[in-house]
């Protein structure tokens, strides 16, 4: 009889200790990063009416049903080398106070509660309004060709970029700096009306270039430095 009681107690303890917890783990199922959030507002190239900006995005999904938080980066340069504002939270919207009359760039990523993060979203740019009607600077140029850090097997290269301005009636022109020094200090084209320029290459060189975009009201924006190599 005693042996039966002992076995019964041990069985009860085993069942109690072996029960599932709040977060059961499915064997063999790897953790997967959340999907990339989709930016909604402010829309790309938007001219905002107020410097208190409402940010919204479509929620990411997670195949493991993990809890997700979002990290927003807001910068005054399109390379995010200096982050002007950071935000982290579980909701898919927030409002932040930014400087007036300024161009901003923003992106977002999603991270699950196990620390696995998505890639950053695409980058949107927008303007905050000023206190009075002013000329808005052009947005920094975006690289089209050659691809950053690529290697070209040609004797010439076609440099291509694009730039926009929320003042849609402004006329944009470009100064192009190009060479083998970093930063490039040789201006090879000035007040160019088109966004492409062909250059001659020497073999086995690393080239650096940048574009300064100017509007017809005296505003100008210096682009970042791009680079590529020749075979």
């Amino acid at each position: 009889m005693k042996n039966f009681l002992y076995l019964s107690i041990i069985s009860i303890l085993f069942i109690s200790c072996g029960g599932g917890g709040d977060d059961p783990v499915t064997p063999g199922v790897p953790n997967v990063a959340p999907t990339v959030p989709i930016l909604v507002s402010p829309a790309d190239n938007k001219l905002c009416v107020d410097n208190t900006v409402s940010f919204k995005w479509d929620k990411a999904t997670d195949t493991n049903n993990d809890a997700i938080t979002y990290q927003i980066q807001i910068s005054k340069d399109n390379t995010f080398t200096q982050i002007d504002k950071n935000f982290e939270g579980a909701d898919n919207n927030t409002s932040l106070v930014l400087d007036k009359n300024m161009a901003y760039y923003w992106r977002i990523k999603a991270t699950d509660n196990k620390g696995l993060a998505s890639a950053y979203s695409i980058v949107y740019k927008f303007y905050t309004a000023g206190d009075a009607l002013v000329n808005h600077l052009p947005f920094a140029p975006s690289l089209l060709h050659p691809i950053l850090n690529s290697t070209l097997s040609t004797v010439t290269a076609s440099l291509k970029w694009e730039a926009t301005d929320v003042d849609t009636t402004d006329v944009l022109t470009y100064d192009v700096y190009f060479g083998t020094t970093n930063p490039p200090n040789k201006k090879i084209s000035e007040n160019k009306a088109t966004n492409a320029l062909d250059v001659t290459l020497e073999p086995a060189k690393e080239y650096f270039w940048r574009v300064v975009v100017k509007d017809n009201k005296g505003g100008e924006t210096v682009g970042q430095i791009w680079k590529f190599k020749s075979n």
Side-chain angles (χ1 to χ4, degrees):
M1 182 67 178
K2 289 182 178 180
N3 289 337
F4 175 76
L5 290 174
Y6 290 151
L7 289 172
S8 299
I9 292 171
I10 292 171
S11 298
I12 292 170
L13 289 173
F14 177 77
I15 293 170
S16 175
C17 294
D22 293 335
D23 297 312
V25 177
T26 305
V29 177
N31 186 35
V32 178
T35 58
V36 178
I38 298 175
L39 307 186
V40 174
S41 176
D44 197 20
N45 290 316
K46 182 175 177 60
L47 180 61
C48 298
V49 296
D50 192 87
N51 65 313
T52 300
V53 183
S54 178
F55 294 91
K56 297 180 181 178
W57 56 95
D58 288 341
K59 287 186 174 181
T61 58
D62 191 290
T63 57
N64 305 103
N65 294 318
D66 294 331
I68 294 174
T69 56
Y70 301 95
Q71 296 82 37
I72 301 177
Q73 289 185 337
I74 304 166
S75 177
K76 293 175 182 175
D77 69 272
N78 59 357
T79 59
F80 294 87
T81 52
Q82 291 187 342
I83 306 302
D84 202 64
K85 290 279 187 177
N86 269 317
F87 171 81
E88 182 170 337
D91 294 330
N92 64 325
N93 63 84
T94 188
S95 292
L96 298 172
V97 178
L98 305 178
D99 293 339
K100 294 181 178 181
N101 191 35
M102 186 64 60
Y104 282 100
Y105 304 82
W106 73 292
R107 64 184 182 181
I108 186 171
K109 69 178 180 179
T111 304
D112 65 22
N113 58 357
K114 297 182 180 71
L116 199 57
S118 72
Y120 274 106
S121 67
I122 62 174
V123 176
Y124 274 4
K125 53 187 178 291
F126 63 92
Y127 254 110
T128 52
D131 292 325
L133 183 61
V134 295
N135 178 44
H136 298 94
L137 297 179
F139 284 110
S142 298
L143 174 65
L144 294 180
H145 187 269
I147 297 173
L148 188 65
N149 295 322
S150 61
T151 300
L152 303 183
S153 300
T154 57
V155 295
T156 61
S158 181
L159 309 180
K160 296 181 180 180
W161 63 93
E162 64 180 1
T164 58
D165 193 318
V166 294
D167 300 321
T168 56
T169 59
D170 284 0
V171 177
L172 301 182
T173 56
Y174 309 97
D175 294 345
V176 181
Y177 293 80
F178 178 80
T180 56
T181 60
N182 187 14
N185 51 26
K186 182 180 179 182
K187 186 188 295 185
I188 62 171
S189 182
E190 186 173 16
N191 297 326
K192 187 173 180 59
T194 58
N195 60 336
L197 179 65
D198 291 336
V199 293
T200 301
L201 307 179
E202 296 180 12
K205 296 282 189 179
E206 185 173 36
Y207 289 96
F208 302 87
W209 65 293
R210 77 188 324 164
V211 175
V212 178
V213 53
K214 303 181 291 186
D215 63 26
N216 56 329
K217 298 174 183 173
E220 69 175 44
T221 301
V222 179
Q224 69 185 96
I225 297 173
W226 300 314
K227 61 181 180 177
F228 64 91
K229 295 180 180 179
S230 61
N231 271 336

